Amino acid sequence: PAAEQALQSFCGLAATADAEAPSAGEVAEFNAHLQTMSGTVVNPSADPVTCSAGLPTIAALWLALEGMGGADILMCSTAYGGSSELTDLCLTRENLRKSTFHIQGGASFNGSIEAALGALAADPASLRPTTVLFVEIPSNPDQKMPDLAQLAASCEAYQESSGKQLLLLVDTTFAPASEVLGRIGDLAPELGAMVFVSMSKSVSRGETTAGALVANHTPGSQALLHASREVAEMLDVTARQDQMLRLCRNHVGVEERCERAYENMVLMAGVLRGAVKTHTGHDMPVTMVGPEHAAQGFTSSTFSFNLPAPAGATPEVKAALAQRFVDLLTEDAERFKPCVSFGQDNGLVYCTVPATSTQGAIKEEDKAQQAQGGVQLARLSFPPAIDAPRVQARIESACAAIYA
Ligand SMILES: Cc1ncc(COP(=O)(O)O)c(C=O)c1O
């Protein structure tokens, strides 16, 4: 509607599009809900910063940090490709520096972070004033969960040994209602922490793109929030009226939508594992958020897996297997979609091979570590409502086809 209105004005027509705005009360309710879902106290003086999509939100934060003397950004080598690439683009600013930690395969989530923080702290003279530890919880694409107590302890130890402020920035896009800031606050009450969430998925039900920053109760995090808001306004990337309207009309119920999507995901992971076992005899591991973390609100509707190679398969067949499986599923375009996104409330199961889609910008050697036995990782994401018998039948027939 915002674009339509601009075109109407440009053509000299009456600007009838984009006339409706959310009320101040609806916006206040939305902001309070974002703070509650992120696990921090409702505080209108630190309202979340809402931008037109997830990535401009991150850009506003990085540029705000650059204006505050700079930052060392530590993020996962296999983080969402857009976040990785955007961060790399911002590194042309000499006040920003990025390093990575690795969590693919058998690597330990906490151990890798601890080692990377240790490496930074070993050279304190080279550090910028703020260190940002940017972590997707659960992780993309393999849905790993860190031990939060150990993570909080590592952040505190780093501040002590380096003498620098650390901001723990959590990307909660996969599980927006996990209240993760509250858990972190219980473990490390003084630690500066912030949530970044892409709301282009489950928060808006897919009705609009958007992204938000939510600060925890600490003064450092709130100061950075205010600086990010100023940068977002200056760059003109704050959410438009039509986006705010859609966010205000769709955010209610996201917790319950995520729970239903999680249940669908668990059900269909069982179907997939059963079908693979029938055809190959293998108990294929599936990486997903387990019931203990789901009960805490980390209800991600995504799982990923490396299909076992068919007996006697050539390297070419193995290399093509994950995409072939996705292609077979998505032949049923009414129930499956080849897409990197997730969380939308449209009855479609989103299927992708992250190495060639969401992780387009990730280094080849990092992506290669996700392959097993020559077969790349595949990822499926489930909506709150599915046609379960048909989805099950399609997963079973796709397995039958690749192992025929
Ligand atoms: C985990 C994660 N973070 C950030 C983003 C970026 O959000 P947006 O697409 O709203 O710019 C995405 C998008 O897919 C994502 O999956």
Side-chain angles (χ1 to χ4, degrees):
E4 193 184 349
Q5 195 211 49
L7 280 173
Q8 286 173 329
S9 306
F10 182 69
C11 299
L13 299 171
T16 52
D18 197 21
E20 201 180 353
S23 69
E26 282 179 309
V27 173
E29 217 174 281
F30 166 66
N31 282 331
H33 191 200
L34 274 183
Q35 288 175 324
T36 320
M37 286 198 293
S38 304
T40 193
V41 283
V42 173
N43 175 5
S45 71
D47 270 344
V49 176
T50 297
C51 294
S52 54
L55 293 183
T57 319
I58 302 177
L61 177 67
W62 288 166
L63 297 186
L65 279 161
E66 120 99 0
M68 294 165 86
D72 289 280
I73 301 162
L74 177 58
M75 65 193 286
C76 185
S77 59
T78 44
Y80 168 60
S83 308
S84 303
E85 187 171 12
L86 169 74
T87 306
D88 290 344
L89 289 171
C90 290
L91 297 183
T92 51
R93 315 265 165 166
E94 55 189 54
N95 269 347
L96 298 176
R97 191 170 65 160
K98 177 182 140 181
S99 46
T100 51
F101 60 91
H102 310 278
I103 60 168
Q104 311 92 318
S108 143
F109 202 147
N110 287 96
S112 302
I113 289 176
E114 227 166 87
L117 285 175
L120 284 176
D123 185 11
S126 74
L127 294 174
R128 279 66 172 164
T130 310
T131 302
V132 181
L133 174 56
F134 185 15
V135 194
E136 295 161 336
I137 302 182
S139 68
N140 176 58
D142 44 8
Q143 306 293 297
K144 287 183 179 160
M145 289 290 305
D147 178 313
L148 289 181
Q150 206 182 328
L151 181 66
S154 304
C155 294
E156 287 185 317
Y158 173 82
Q159 293 197 128
E160 190 112 325
S161 62
S162 68
K164 301 290 170 188
Q165 285 292 321
L166 183 140
L167 175 84
L168 178 55
L169 175 64
V170 184
D171 181 337
T172 64
T173 304
F174 280 103
S178 63
E179 300 184 9
V180 71
L181 293 178
R183 295 175 205 289
I184 292 162
D186 291 343
L187 295 159
E190 308 285 312
L191 186 68
M194 201 180 256
V195 150
F196 155 72
V197 57
S198 163
M199 300 188 287
S200 316
K201 288 97 175 135
S202 45
V203 175
S204 72
R205 300 173 55 239
E207 295 286 318
T208 179
T209 60
L213 294 174
V214 184
N216 78 345
H217 57 281
T218 57
S221 178
Q222 297 197 359
L224 184 54
L225 182 84
H226 295 309
S228 304
R229 191 188 319 279
E230 275 175 25
V231 172
E233 282 166 3
M234 186 178 68
L235 297 176
D236 198 17
V237 295
T238 51
R240 296 296 182 259
Q241 167 177 290
D242 56 344
Q243 294 184 294
M244 288 305 293
L245 184 70
R246 278 153 187 78
L247 289 165
C248 287
R249 302 273 160 95
N250 288 291
H251 70 94
V252 175
V254 59
E255 297 87 341
E256 187 253 342
R257 290 197 293 271
C258 288
E259 274 166 30
R260 285 195 285 135
Y262 178 81
E263 281 162 21
N264 288 333
M265 182 278 291
V266 172
L267 187 70
M268 290 304 152
V271 166
L272 175 64
R273 294 190 73 205
V276 168
K277 175 110 194 192
T278 303
H279 292 287
T280 67
H282 284 285
D283 268 325
M284 177 183 70
V286 164
T287 53
M288 61 161 94
V289 172
E292 183 198 333
H293 288 117
Q296 293 172 11
F298 295 97
T299 43
S300 171
S301 63
T302 295
F303 68 76
S304 52
F305 52 97
N306 297 86
L307 289 164
T314 61
E316 291 74 28
V317 167
K318 291 181 198 168
L321 194 71
Q323 190 57 49
R324 186 163 165 240
F325 187 64
V326 165
D327 292 345
L328 286 164
L329 294 177
T330 54
E331 274 171 14
D332 178 356
E334 276 177 49
R335 292 169 199 88
F336 294 85
K337 183 172 173 175
C339 189
V340 301
S341 197
F342 51 88
Q344 288 162 42
D345 191 9
N346 55 11
L348 293 169
V349 181
Y350 284 27
C351 317
T352 195
V353 177
T356 52
S357 57
T358 164
Q359 297 181 317
I362 307 283
K363 282 192 205 141
E364 285 309 319
E365 66 257 35
D366 290 333
K367 289 189 287 200
Q369 288 183 42
Q370 285 174 179
Q372 272 174 31
V375 179
Q376 252 301 344
L377 194 79
R379 191 183 87 179
L380 303 186
S381 297
F382 291 80
I386 48 168
D387 180 344
R390 296 280 179 86
V391 168
Q392 169 163 359
R394 174 57 53 176
I395 291 174
E396 286 170 346
S397 69
C399 284
I402 59 170
Y403 295 116

